[in-house]
Amino acid sequence: MNKLLFAAVAVLLASPALAQVASGTPYEQARAALLAQGWKPDVTYGARTGKGQPLYHFPEIWCGPQVCRAKWRDASGAPQAIMLNRGFNKDHTVQ
């Protein structure tokens, strides 16, 4: 990952509101920055297969035909969400 891009995403994510995540950021990069800031993905939210395995690459994501939603918990445990443009598996981008 480009260190400059990671630093820019990390600065944007320093705010407590997930709404500050830059539009167009690949979700995989935004997710890494959120984890580095201490946010926790809500792994109980996402879609599951009949065997209980996450349907998508990231277990905190639920997708419709064009838009996905990723649920997170901030440091205090409050739920937050990120809306994503649907990609194929790891190719989602932040809306």
Side-chain angles (χ1 to χ4, degrees):
M1 178 188 322
N2 181 321
K3 289 182 182 182
L4 183 59
L5 177 59
F6 181 80
V9 171
V11 167
L12 290 170
L13 297 177
S15 168
L18 287 175
Q20 298 300 313
V21 177
S23 179
T25 301
Y27 181 65
E28 190 167 27
Q29 292 175 8
R31 187 180 197 275
L34 286 168
L35 290 169
Q37 293 290 324
W39 291 75
K40 304 284 186 220
D42 184 348
V43 298
T44 64
Y45 174 72
R48 304 267 183 248
T49 66
K51 295 182 180 182
Q53 298 297 317
L55 182 60
Y56 306 111
H57 182 76
F58 301 110
E60 69 274 11
I61 291 178
W62 190 278
C63 289
Q66 296 179 335
V67 176
C68 300
R69 182 176 178 172
K71 285 187 111 179
W72 287 77
R73 300 231 174 238
D74 65 17
S76 69
Q80 303 285 330
I82 299 175
M83 299 305 291
L84 307 169
N85 295 313
R86 186 174 184 165
F88 179 74
N89 229 347
K90 296 187 337 183
D91 298 334
H92 307 299
T93 57
V94 176
Q95 274 193 350

